[in-house]
């Protein structure tokens, strides 16, 4: 069983930045992939970024603005968000694929552990 706890969400003006953190209860080397998803009101949850064994998966709409990184020593994955836009607003969820192999790294069905989410509001 893997527990995930997100932090770093909040309110920011357009063109500003936020850095999200996700701490995992398991060693990250035992997790196939870790990623970030987001859900805006009235919309389905969508994959934002994923990272696994040196491979990064980034959603096209955030390429050049968002970056995902992993600190194995701290069992923590980060999402650096720059040049934020109002359409980036939503609840951001950390996810982990444990005992599974991912393909796109951005599909909901590829992950089996989820955090409770952290709110990001861009105005």
């Amino acid at each position: 069983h893997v527990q995930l706890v997100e932090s770093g969400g909040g309110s920011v003006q357009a063109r500003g930045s936020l850095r999200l953190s996700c701490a995992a209860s398991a060693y990250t080397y035992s997790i196939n992939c870790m990623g970030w998803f987001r859900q805006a009101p009235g919309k389905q949850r969508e994959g934002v970024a994923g990272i696994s064994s040196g491979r990064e998966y980034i959603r096209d709409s955030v390429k050049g603005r968002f970056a995902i990184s992993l600190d194995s020593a701290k069992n923590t994955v980060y999402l650096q968000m720059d040049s934020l836009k109002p359409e980036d607003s939503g609840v951001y969820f950390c996810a982990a694929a444990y005992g599974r192999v991912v393909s796109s790294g951005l599909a909901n069905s590829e992950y089996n552990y989820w955090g409770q989410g952290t709110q990001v509001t861009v105005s």
Side-chain angles (χ1 to χ4, degrees), residues 24 26-29 70-78:
Y27 292 112
T28 52
Y29 59 73
L70 177 67
D71 186 337
S72 297
K74 296 182 178 180
N75 296 327
T76 300
V77 65
Y78 303 93

Side-chain angles (χ1 to χ4, degrees), residues 8-69:
S11 298
V12 65
Q13 294 183 16
R15 303 172 73 174
S17 299
L18 283 175
R19 184 176 184 244
L20 305 183
S21 299
C22 173
S25 63
Y27 292 112
T28 52
Y29 59 73
S30 68
I31 301 175
N32 297 98
C33 186
M34 297 191 71
W36 289 95
F37 289 72
R38 67 186 181 187
Q39 186 169 26
K43 296 184 178 180
Q44 294 187 340
R45 186 164 57 191
E46 62 182 19
V48 177
I51 187 167
S52 177
S53 300
R55 174 75 180 275
E56 297 178 10
Y57 309 88
I58 307 294
R59 187 179 186 85
D60 288 343
S61 63
V62 304
K63 285 183 178 178
R65 299 189 298 119
F66 290 14
I68 188 170
S69 62

Side-chain angles (χ1 to χ4, degrees), residues 10-18 65 81-89 120-123:
S11 298
V12 65
Q13 294 183 16
R15 303 172 73 174
S17 299
L18 283 175
R65 299 189 298 119
M81 304 185 292
D82 298 322
S83 301
L84 284 162
K85 305 175 181 179
E87 51 263 46
D88 293 319
S89 297
V120 172
T121 302
V122 184
S123 60

